Amino acid sequence: VRSVSRLGVVGLGVYFWAFVTFLFVPLVVLVVFSVNKSAIPALPLSGFTTHWFHQAFGNGELTTALIRSVSARTPALLPEVIAIGAIIIAGSLLLVVLAEGGRRWAERRLVGANLSRPGGLAGPDSGAAAPMFATGEPS
Amino acid sequence: MVLDWAFSLMDWKDFLTGGGGAFRSRFAYSMEITLLVSVVTTAAAYPLAYYLSFVARRRRYALLLILLAPFFTSYLLRVIAWQIILNNNGVVNSLLWTLHLRPHGDAISWLIYSNFSIALVLFYTWIPFVALPIFVVLENMDHRLPEAAADLGASRAATFWRVTFPLSLPGVIAGFVFVLIPTTGEFIAPLLVGGPNNQLFGNSIQAFFSNSPDWNYGSVLAMTLIVVVVVLTLVFGRFLRTDLRTGAGAEQ
């Protein structure tokens, strides 16, 4: 941590955690008002209740929709579900294979271009997001 | 120019030079807001990325996850949460009333349906997308270079402004573009937290395709936006054609 002064470390830390707080504020607000008695989301809080959860989960259509979102557990649709699942898995595998092949191909090409440069070779451990920016020919 | 009425440039004419002044000014307004949000977001994201990469060395991926966690929830849900917070009877105003910092019922007028609310929500939405590329660049930077600068007697400020920052410019520009381009077409945030005077260009396009259908005019506006985005991509794409690991191309 030599490149940052002690004051910098503290300042950046305060900034970072203040920012995290800011990012979580909307989520905390949602959680707090989901257990608040009043139907109007405003302060002061009017007391704890699970009423809204009861209401939400007491709603048959909503719960069915929720279950459907999580698992398509309808026996009549089982073949379709299996087929879609198989397609997704096969597609992902294909993508992985293609991506791996593409990476190897790019590496082979870059080896020739980069051998003369110090530190120029991208190893497999050089960060997954890095190739995103290295769009052009290596400069 | 011979105008064939099957092939008409009427809507283009109207938008570019004619009676479409309202859309032209809305376009200008959108670009102002977009530029403001992009600059502020990039400036605010840089210290976050810097903290992760240079201070939180070992815990940086855990902290990155914390930073990104709110964005695993629905975008719409987060905008609606901001609506609840900024509303005239919302969390901020009712908090001020409860603490007797403001007379009851006296809401802060600029808190919602204003430039402030749109800019805040867009800022909130984009910050991780900006922090991430900057973080990636700082991570992949050769950390021996700032050390070398320090060893050669450069002050911390000089090391940062003359070594670290120039080397991280590709990430900064990538983050800037990540905000700039989606914000030009943004219409959800202004729809939910913007007032009638704060609707962006994206809202005009959306309106022409739904509320008051005029697909011709809507297409003209959409095409304009596409041209702007393509130009911006070409302009900023130049800066992205650089090698992250050495930062070559970012140097003067």
Side-chain angles (χ1 to χ4, degrees), chain A residues 1-6 8-17 19-20 22-27 29-30 33 40-44 110 114 117-123 125-127 129-139, chain B residues 43-45 47-48 50-52 54-55 57 59 63-64 66-67 69-71 73 77-78 81-82 84-85 89-91 94-95 98 120 123-124 127 133 136 140 146-147 151 156 170 174 178 240-246 248-249:
Chain A
V1 197
R2 247 193 296 169
S3 56
V4 186
S5 69
R6 184 160 296 206
V9 169
V10 174
L12 283 169
V14 169
Y15 180 78
F16 181 85
W17 288 108
F19 217 95
V20 168
F22 163 71
L23 290 180
F24 275 88
V25 160
L27 307 185
V29 164
L30 286 179
F33 285 110
I40 301 153
L43 296 171
L110 287 176
N114 269 351
R117 260 174 68 243
L121 256 183
D125 57 334
S126 63
M132 183 163 69
F133 302 102
T135 48
E137 62 277 16
S139 46
Chain B
L48 297 175
Y50 194 83
Y51 175 80
L52 288 177
F54 281 85
V55 182
R57 291 295 311 158
R59 300 174 300 153
L63 293 184
L64 184 67
I66 292 177
L67 201 62
F71 299 89
T73 54
L77 207 61
R78 279 178 282 125
W82 275 113
I84 293 173
I85 294 169
N89 297 310
V91 177
S94 58
L95 179 70
T98 316
L120 178 75
F123 172 77
Y124 177 87
I127 201 92
V136 169
N140 287 289
E147 279 175 24
D151 287 344
R156 286 193 179 105
F178 280 1
L240 296 182
R241 294 168 75 85
T242 151
D243 192 319
L244 283 186
R245 275 158 285 117
T246 57

Side-chain angles (χ1 to χ4, degrees), chain A residues 54-100:
Chain A
H54 282 294
Q55 204 172 37
F57 289 106
N59 183 330
E61 279 183 33
L62 212 68
T63 42
T64 336
L66 182 66
I67 290 166
R68 202 175 295 136
S69 303
V70 178
S71 71
R73 207 169 9 149
T74 322
L77 285 174
L78 201 58
E80 282 87 343
V81 171
I82 292 172
I84 291 169
I87 289 169
I88 290 172
I89 291 168
S92 318
L93 282 176
L94 189 70
L95 275 182
V96 168
V97 170
L98 283 179
E100 181 64 18

